[in-house]
PDB file of all heavy atoms in Angstrom:
ATOM      1  N   SER L 109      14.819 -73.046 -61.463  1.00 94.00           N
ATOM      2  CA  SER L 109      14.751 -71.591 -61.427  1.00 94.00           C
ATOM      3  C   SER L 109      16.111 -71.006 -61.061  1.00 94.00           C
ATOM      4  O   SER L 109      16.564 -69.995 -61.653  1.00 94.00           O
ATOM      5  CB  SER L 109      13.709 -71.158 -60.375  1.00 94.00           C
ATOM      6  OG  SER L 109      12.436 -71.618 -60.734  1.00 94.00           O
ATOM      7  N   LYS L 110      16.810 -71.676 -60.175  1.00 93.00           N
ATOM      8  CA  LYS L 110      18.147 -71.227 -59.804  1.00 93.00           C
ATOM      9  C   LYS L 110      19.111 -71.291 -61.012  1.00 93.00           C
ATOM     10  O   LYS L 110      19.888 -70.366 -61.268  1.00 93.00           O
ATOM     11  CB  LYS L 110      18.706 -72.045 -58.607  1.00 93.00           C
ATOM     12  CG  LYS L 110      20.126 -71.691 -58.204  1.00 93.00           C
ATOM     13  CD  LYS L 110      20.553 -72.494 -56.991  1.00 93.00           C
ATOM     14  CE  LYS L 110      22.040 -72.224 -56.679  1.00 93.00           C
ATOM     15  NZ  LYS L 110      22.485 -72.962 -55.455  1.00 93.00           N
ATOM     16  N   LEU L 111      19.016 -72.403 -61.741  1.00 92.00           N
ATOM     17  CA  LEU L 111      19.836 -72.582 -62.920  1.00 92.00           C
ATOM     18  C   LEU L 111      19.560 -71.489 -63.989  1.00 92.00           C
ATOM     19  O   LEU L 111      20.443 -70.965 -64.629  1.00 92.00           O
ATOM     20  CB  LEU L 111      19.622 -73.948 -63.555  1.00 92.00           C
ATOM     21  CG  LEU L 111      20.382 -75.087 -62.936  1.00 92.00           C
ATOM     22  CD1 LEU L 111      19.878 -76.409 -63.464  1.00 92.00           C
ATOM     23  CD2 LEU L 111      21.875 -75.007 -63.328  1.00 92.00           C
ATOM     24  N   ALA L 112      18.261 -71.165 -64.125  1.00 92.00           N
ATOM     25  CA  ALA L 112      17.897 -70.191 -65.126  1.00 92.00           C
ATOM     26  C   ALA L 112      18.258 -68.757 -64.741  1.00 92.00           C
ATOM     27  O   ALA L 112      18.728 -67.981 -65.578  1.00 92.00           O
ATOM     28  CB  ALA L 112      16.348 -70.258 -65.385  1.00 92.00           C
ATOM     29  N   LEU L 113      18.110 -68.435 -63.456  1.00 92.00           N
ATOM     30  CA  LEU L 113      18.299 -67.061 -62.985  1.00 92.00           C
ATOM     31  C   LEU L 113      19.756 -66.802 -62.506  1.00 92.00           C
ATOM     32  O   LEU L 113      20.237 -65.676 -62.614  1.00 92.00           O
ATOM     33  CB  LEU L 113      17.328 -66.752 -61.849  1.00 92.00           C
ATOM     34  CG  LEU L 113      15.810 -66.804 -62.246  1.00 92.00           C
ATOM     35  CD1 LEU L 113      14.962 -66.630 -61.008  1.00 92.00           C
ATOM     36  CD2 LEU L 113      15.487 -65.747 -63.265  1.00 92.00           C
ATOM     37  N   TYR L 114      20.360 -67.902 -61.969  1.00 92.00           N
ATOM     38  CA  TYR L 114      21.696 -67.681 -61.382  1.00 92.00           C
ATOM     39  C   TYR L 114      22.601 -68.817 -61.899  1.00 92.00           C
ATOM     40  O   TYR L 114      23.059 -69.664 -61.143  1.00 92.00           O
ATOM     41  CB  TYR L 114      21.615 -67.726 -59.862  1.00 92.00           C
ATOM     42  CG  TYR L 114      20.734 -66.647 -59.292  1.00 92.00           C
ATOM     43  CD1 TYR L 114      19.396 -66.902 -58.919  1.00 92.00           C
ATOM     44  CD2 TYR L 114      21.183 -65.326 -59.129  1.00 92.00           C
ATOM     45  CE1 TYR L 114      18.587 -65.927 -58.418  1.00 92.00           C
ATOM     46  CE2 TYR L 114      20.364 -64.327 -58.589  1.00 92.00           C
ATOM     47  CZ  TYR L 114      19.051 -64.642 -58.251  1.00 92.00           C
ATOM     48  OH  TYR L 114      18.226 -63.702 -57.710  1.00 92.00           O
ATOM     49  N   ARG L 115      22.850 -68.805 -63.156  1.00 90.00           N
ATOM     50  CA  ARG L 115      23.553 -69.909 -63.850  1.00 90.00           C
ATOM     51  C   ARG L 115      25.004 -70.034 -63.244  1.00 90.00           C
ATOM     52  O   ARG L 115      25.466 -71.158 -63.008  1.00 90.00           O
ATOM     53  CB  ARG L 115      23.658 -69.621 -65.329  1.00 90.00           C
ATOM     54  CG  ARG L 115      24.318 -70.739 -66.099  1.00 90.00           C
ATOM     55  CD  ARG L 115      24.305 -70.441 -67.611  1.00 90.00           C
ATOM     56  NE  ARG L 115      24.931 -71.480 -68.384  1.00 90.00           N
ATOM     57  CZ  ARG L 115      24.380 -72.619 -68.731  1.00 90.00           C
ATOM     58  NH1 ARG L 115      23.122 -72.875 -68.372  1.00 90.00           N
ATOM     59  NH2 ARG L 115      25.054 -73.509 -69.430  1.00 90.00           N
ATOM     60  N   GLN L 116      25.637 -68.910 -63.015  1.00 89.00           N
ATOM     61  CA  GLN L 116      27.061 -69.008 -62.536  1.00 89.00           C
ATOM     62  C   GLN L 116      27.118 -69.656 -61.115  1.00 89.00           C
ATOM     63  O   GLN L 116      27.973 -70.481 -60.888  1.00 89.00           O
ATOM     64  CB  GLN L 116      27.680 -67.570 -62.468  1.00 89.00           C
ATOM     65  CG  GLN L 116      29.167 -67.584 -62.109  1.00 89.00           C
ATOM     66  CD  GLN L 116      29.762 -66.173 -62.197  1.00 89.00           C
ATOM     67  OE1 GLN L 116      29.132 -65.286 -62.735  1.00 89.00           O
ATOM     68  NE2 GLN L 116      30.947 -66.012 -61.695  1.00 89.00           N
ATOM     69  N   GLU L 117      26.204 -69.196 -60.241  1.00 86.00           N
ATOM     70  CA  GLU L 117      26.228 -69.798 -58.890  1.00 86.00           C
ATOM     71  C   GLU L 117      25.859 -71.280 -58.926  1.00 86.00           C
ATOM     72  O   GLU L 117      26.416 -72.088 -58.218  1.00 86.00           O
ATOM     73  CB  GLU L 117      25.216 -69.068 -58.043  1.00 86.00           C
ATOM     74  CG  GLU L 117      25.575 -67.654 -57.612  1.00 86.00           C
ATOM     75  CD  GLU L 117      25.205 -66.605 -58.669  1.00 86.00           C
ATOM     76  OE1 GLU L 117      24.844 -67.016 -59.818  1.00 86.00           O
ATOM     77  OE2 GLU L 117      25.281 -65.397 -58.337  1.00 86.00           O
ATOM     78  N   SER L 118      24.906 -71.633 -59.802  1.00 88.00           N
ATOM     79  CA  SER L 118      24.508 -73.064 -59.931  1.00 88.00           C
ATOM     80  C   SER L 118      25.653 -73.924 -60.433  1.00 88.00           C
ATOM     81  O   SER L 118      25.918 -75.018 -59.879  1.00 88.00           O
ATOM     82  CB  SER L 118      23.325 -73.170 -60.862  1.00 88.00           C
ATOM     83  OG  SER L 118      22.211 -72.395 -60.399  1.00 88.00           O
ATOM     84  N   LEU L 119      26.317 -73.436 -61.472  1.00 88.00           N
ATOM     85  CA  LEU L 119      27.419 -74.240 -62.039  1.00 88.00           C
ATOM     86  C   LEU L 119      28.562 -74.342 -61.077  1.00 88.00           C
ATOM     87  O   LEU L 119      29.257 -75.384 -60.999  1.00 88.00           O
ATOM     88  CB  LEU L 119      27.896 -73.617 -63.350  1.00 88.00           C
ATOM     89  CG  LEU L 119      26.913 -73.678 -64.525  1.00 88.00           C
ATOM     90  CD1 LEU L 119      27.449 -72.989 -65.749  1.00 88.00           C
ATOM     91  CD2 LEU L 119      26.568 -75.160 -64.837  1.00 88.00           C
ATOM     92  N   ALA L 120      28.788 -73.294 -60.287  1.00 87.00           N
ATOM     93  CA  ALA L 120      29.859 -73.333 -59.293  1.00 87.00           C
ATOM     94  C   ALA L 120      29.553 -74.371 -58.251  1.00 87.00           C
ATOM     95  O   ALA L 120      30.464 -75.079 -57.756  1.00 87.00           O
ATOM     96  CB  ALA L 120      29.986 -71.950 -58.630  1.00 87.00           C
ATOM     97  N   GLU L 121      28.277 -74.527 -57.888  1.00 87.00           N
ATOM     98  CA  GLU L 121      27.894 -75.511 -56.889  1.00 87.00           C
ATOM     99  C   GLU L 121      28.005 -76.954 -57.458  1.00 87.00           C
ATOM    100  O   GLU L 121      28.524 -77.850 -56.790  1.00 87.00           O
ATOM    101  CB  GLU L 121      26.470 -75.248 -56.380  1.00 87.00           C
ATOM    102  CG  GLU L 121      26.018 -76.197 -55.281  1.00 87.00           C
ATOM    103  CD  GLU L 121      24.707 -75.819 -54.699  1.00 87.00           C
ATOM    104  OE1 GLU L 121      23.782 -75.469 -55.482  1.00 87.00           O
ATOM    105  OE2 GLU L 121      24.532 -75.861 -53.464  1.00 87.00           O
ATOM    106  N   ILE L 122      27.476 -77.116 -58.671  1.00 86.00           N
ATOM    107  CA  ILE L 122      27.487 -78.433 -59.288  1.00 86.00           C
ATOM    108  C   ILE L 122      28.878 -78.953 -59.574  1.00 86.00           C
ATOM    109  O   ILE L 122      29.119 -80.161 -59.555  1.00 86.00           O
ATOM    110  CB  ILE L 122      26.624 -78.428 -60.558  1.00 86.00           C
ATOM    111  CG1 ILE L 122      25.146 -78.174 -60.203  1.00 86.00           C
ATOM    112  CG2 ILE L 122      26.786 -79.677 -61.361  1.00 86.00           C
ATOM    113  CD1 ILE L 122      24.251 -77.931 -61.378  1.00 86.00           C
ATOM    114  N   THR L 123      29.798 -78.029 -59.840  1.00 85.00           N
ATOM    115  CA  THR L 123      31.176 -78.470 -60.140  1.00 85.00           C
ATOM    116  C   THR L 123      32.098 -78.348 -58.939  1.00 85.00           C
ATOM    117  O   THR L 123      33.297 -78.686 -59.048  1.00 85.00           O
ATOM    118  CB  THR L 123      31.752 -77.527 -61.263  1.00 85.00           C
ATOM    119  OG1 THR L 123      31.719 -76.189 -60.873  1.00 85.00           O
ATOM    120  CG2 THR L 123      30.981 -77.703 -62.564  1.00 85.00           C
ATOM    121  N   HIS L 124      31.566 -78.014 -57.802  1.00 83.00           N
ATOM    122  CA  HIS L 124      32.366 -77.917 -56.571  1.00 83.00           C
ATOM    123  C   HIS L 124      32.832 -79.320 -56.182  1.00 83.00           C
ATOM    124  O   HIS L 124      32.054 -80.281 -56.216  1.00 83.00           O
ATOM    125  CB  HIS L 124      31.539 -77.310 -55.446  1.00 83.00           C
ATOM    126  CG  HIS L 124      32.416 -76.977 -54.225  1.00 83.00           C
ATOM    127  ND1 HIS L 124      32.617 -77.881 -53.237  1.00 83.00           N
ATOM    128  CD2 HIS L 124      32.973 -75.851 -53.800  1.00 83.00           C
ATOM    129  CE1 HIS L 124      33.353 -77.363 -52.283  1.00 83.00           C
ATOM    130  NE2 HIS L 124      33.591 -76.098 -52.628  1.00 83.00           N
ATOM    131  N   PRO L 125      34.105 -79.537 -55.798  1.00 79.00           N
ATOM    132  CA  PRO L 125      34.629 -80.866 -55.511  1.00 79.00           C
ATOM    133  C   PRO L 125      33.891 -81.606 -54.374  1.00 79.00           C
ATOM    134  O   PRO L 125      33.923 -82.806 -54.342  1.00 79.00           O
ATOM    135  CB  PRO L 125      36.099 -80.661 -55.213  1.00 79.00           C
ATOM    136  CG  PRO L 125      36.232 -79.180 -54.889  1.00 79.00           C
ATOM    137  CD  PRO L 125      35.186 -78.506 -55.692  1.00 79.00           C
ATOM    138  N   VAL L 126      33.307 -80.851 -53.437  1.00 80.00           N
ATOM    139  CA  VAL L 126      32.551 -81.459 -52.372  1.00 80.00           C
ATOM    140  C   VAL L 126      31.071 -81.525 -52.665  1.00 80.00           C
ATOM    141  O   VAL L 126      30.429 -82.613 -52.599  1.00 80.00           O
ATOM    142  CB  VAL L 126      32.791 -80.674 -51.039  1.00 80.00           C
ATOM    143  CG1 VAL L 126      31.926 -81.266 -49.911  1.00 80.00           C
ATOM    144  CG2 VAL L 126      34.250 -80.760 -50.654  1.00 80.00           C
ATOM    145  N   ARG L 127      30.457 -80.438 -53.023  1.00 84.00           N
ATOM    146  CA  ARG L 127      29.001 -80.373 -53.288  1.00 84.00           C
ATOM    147  C   ARG L 127      28.605 -81.217 -54.500  1.00 84.00           C
ATOM    148  O   ARG L 127      27.453 -81.680 -54.565  1.00 84.00           O
ATOM    149  CB  ARG L 127      28.531 -78.928 -53.492  1.00 84.00           C
ATOM    150  CG  ARG L 127      28.470 -78.133 -52.202  1.00 84.00           C
ATOM    151  CD  ARG L 127      27.950 -76.745 -52.434  1.00 84.00           C
ATOM    152  NE  ARG L 127      27.731 -76.071 -51.174  1.00 84.00           N
ATOM    153  CZ  ARG L 127      26.527 -75.913 -50.578  1.00 84.00           C
ATOM    154  NH1 ARG L 127      25.489 -76.428 -51.165  1.00 84.00           N
ATOM    155  NH2 ARG L 127      26.399 -75.297 -49.432  1.00 84.00           N
ATOM    156  N   LEU L 128      29.538 -81.411 -55.431  1.00 87.00           N
ATOM    157  CA  LEU L 128      29.254 -82.245 -56.605  1.00 87.00           C
ATOM    158  C   LEU L 128      28.700 -83.615 -56.174  1.00 87.00           C
ATOM    159  O   LEU L 128      27.827 -84.189 -56.879  1.00 87.00           O
ATOM    160  CB  LEU L 128      30.575 -82.435 -57.389  1.00 87.00           C
ATOM    161  CG  LEU L 128      30.555 -83.447 -58.515  1.00 87.00           C
ATOM    162  CD1 LEU L 128      29.640 -83.015 -59.652  1.00 87.00           C
ATOM    163  CD2 LEU L 128      31.982 -83.662 -59.049  1.00 87.00           C
ATOM    164  N   ASN L 129      29.154 -84.151 -55.029  1.00 89.00           N
ATOM    165  CA  ASN L 129      28.736 -85.463 -54.634  1.00 89.00           C
ATOM    166  C   ASN L 129      27.331 -85.534 -54.144  1.00 89.00           C
ATOM    167  O   ASN L 129      26.798 -86.651 -53.927  1.00 89.00           O
ATOM    168  CB  ASN L 129      29.690 -85.971 -53.517  1.00 89.00           C
ATOM    169  CG  ASN L 129      31.129 -86.107 -54.053  1.00 89.00           C
ATOM    170  OD1 ASN L 129      31.402 -87.041 -54.817  1.00 89.00           O
ATOM    171  ND2 ASN L 129      32.001 -85.205 -53.695  1.00 89.00           N
ATOM    172  N   PHE L 130      26.656 -84.399 -53.967  1.00 90.00           N
ATOM    173  CA  PHE L 130      25.241 -84.383 -53.602  1.00 90.00           C
ATOM    174  C   PHE L 130      24.348 -84.436 -54.868  1.00 90.00           C
ATOM    175  O   PHE L 130      23.148 -84.657 -54.736  1.00 90.00           O
ATOM    176  CB  PHE L 130      24.898 -83.112 -52.808  1.00 90.00           C
ATOM    177  CG  PHE L 130      25.423 -83.135 -51.375  1.00 90.00           C
ATOM    178  CD1 PHE L 130      26.641 -82.544 -51.057  1.00 90.00           C
ATOM    179  CD2 PHE L 130      24.734 -83.787 -50.369  1.00 90.00           C
ATOM    180  CE1 PHE L 130      27.147 -82.581 -49.755  1.00 90.00           C
ATOM    181  CE2 PHE L 130      25.194 -83.836 -49.077  1.00 90.00           C
ATOM    182  CZ  PHE L 130      26.377 -83.221 -48.756  1.00 90.00           C
ATOM    183  N   LEU L 131      24.902 -84.204 -56.028  1.00 92.00           N
ATOM    184  CA  LEU L 131      24.108 -84.196 -57.227  1.00 92.00           C
ATOM    185  C   LEU L 131      23.422 -85.510 -57.477  1.00 92.00           C
ATOM    186  O   LEU L 131      22.237 -85.568 -57.936  1.00 92.00           O
ATOM    187  CB  LEU L 131      25.011 -83.838 -58.447  1.00 92.00           C
ATOM    188  CG  LEU L 131      24.325 -83.621 -59.764  1.00 92.00           C
ATOM    189  CD1 LEU L 131      23.269 -82.525 -59.691  1.00 92.00           C
ATOM    190  CD2 LEU L 131      25.343 -83.253 -60.891  1.00 92.00           C
ATOM    191  N   PRO L 132      24.072 -86.677 -57.242  1.00 94.00           N
ATOM    192  CA  PRO L 132      23.385 -87.970 -57.448  1.00 94.00           C
ATOM    193  C   PRO L 132      22.194 -88.178 -56.501  1.00 94.00           C
ATOM    194  O   PRO L 132      21.464 -89.158 -56.657  1.00 94.00           O
ATOM    195  CB  PRO L 132      24.462 -88.996 -57.185  1.00 94.00           C
ATOM    196  CG  PRO L 132      25.740 -88.287 -57.488  1.00 94.00           C
ATOM    197  CD  PRO L 132      25.494 -86.900 -56.994  1.00 94.00           C
ATOM    198  N   ALA L 133      22.012 -87.298 -55.535  1.00 95.00           N
ATOM    199  CA  ALA L 133      20.744 -87.403 -54.736  1.00 95.00           C
ATOM    200  C   ALA L 133      19.520 -87.267 -55.625  1.00 95.00           C
ATOM    201  O   ALA L 133      18.448 -87.795 -55.294  1.00 95.00           O
ATOM    202  CB  ALA L 133      20.741 -86.316 -53.644  1.00 95.00           C
ATOM    203  N   VAL L 134      19.661 -86.563 -56.753  1.00 96.00           N
ATOM    204  CA  VAL L 134      18.565 -86.425 -57.708  1.00 96.00           C
ATOM    205  C   VAL L 134      18.235 -87.802 -58.301  1.00 96.00           C
ATOM    206  O   VAL L 134      17.053 -88.214 -58.334  1.00 96.00           O
ATOM    207  CB  VAL L 134      18.921 -85.442 -58.806  1.00 96.00           C
ATOM    208  CG1 VAL L 134      17.791 -85.315 -59.810  1.00 96.00           C
ATOM    209  CG2 VAL L 134      19.273 -84.057 -58.234  1.00 96.00           C
ATOM    210  N   SER L 135      19.203 -88.499 -58.811  1.00 96.00           N
ATOM    211  CA  SER L 135      18.991 -89.818 -59.421  1.00 96.00           C
ATOM    212  C   SER L 135      18.537 -90.867 -58.395  1.00 96.00           C
ATOM    213  O   SER L 135      17.666 -91.676 -58.662  1.00 96.00           O
ATOM    214  CB  SER L 135      20.230 -90.275 -60.173  1.00 96.00           C
ATOM    215  OG  SER L 135      21.371 -90.225 -59.369  1.00 96.00           O
ATOM    216  N   ILE L 136      19.127 -90.785 -57.194  1.00 97.00           N
ATOM    217  CA  ILE L 136      18.698 -91.732 -56.135  1.00 97.00           C
ATOM    218  C   ILE L 136      17.233 -91.477 -55.749  1.00 97.00           C
ATOM    219  O   ILE L 136      16.471 -92.452 -55.526  1.00 97.00           O
ATOM    220  CB  ILE L 136      19.602 -91.604 -54.903  1.00 97.00           C
ATOM    221  CG1 ILE L 136      21.029 -91.984 -55.248  1.00 97.00           C
ATOM    222  CG2 ILE L 136      19.098 -92.466 -53.747  1.00 97.00           C
ATOM    223  CD1 ILE L 136      22.050 -91.716 -54.120  1.00 97.00           C
ATOM    224  N   SER L 137      16.848 -90.226 -55.741  1.00 97.00           N
ATOM    225  CA  SER L 137      15.454 -89.921 -55.433  1.00 97.00           C
ATOM    226  C   SER L 137      14.500 -90.535 -56.472  1.00 97.00           C
ATOM    227  O   SER L 137      13.447 -91.068 -56.119  1.00 97.00           O
ATOM    228  CB  SER L 137      15.250 -88.396 -55.402  1.00 97.00           C
ATOM    229  OG  SER L 137      15.968 -87.807 -54.343  1.00 97.00           O
ATOM    230  N   LEU L 138      14.908 -90.443 -57.740  1.00 97.00           N
ATOM    231  CA  LEU L 138      14.090 -91.065 -58.818  1.00 97.00           C
ATOM    232  C   LEU L 138      13.952 -92.569 -58.590  1.00 97.00           C
ATOM    233  O   LEU L 138      12.884 -93.150 -58.743  1.00 97.00           O
ATOM    234  CB  LEU L 138      14.679 -90.766 -60.159  1.00 97.00           C
ATOM    235  CG  LEU L 138      14.435 -89.376 -60.707  1.00 97.00           C
ATOM    236  CD1 LEU L 138      15.267 -89.150 -61.947  1.00 97.00           C
ATOM    237  CD2 LEU L 138      12.945 -89.148 -61.013  1.00 97.00           C
TER     238      LEU L 138
END
Side-chain angles (χ1 to χ4, degrees):
S109 298
K110 177 177 175 176
L111 277 166
L113 298 173
Y114 301 97
R115 185 177 178 82
Q116 185 174 350
E117 289 86 346
S118 302
L119 292 178
E121 183 173 44
I122 292 172
T123 57
H124 189 275
V126 175
R127 284 182 173 261
L128 170 67
N129 297 287
F130 287 96
L131 187 58
V134 179
S135 51
I136 296 174
S137 295
L138 283 171

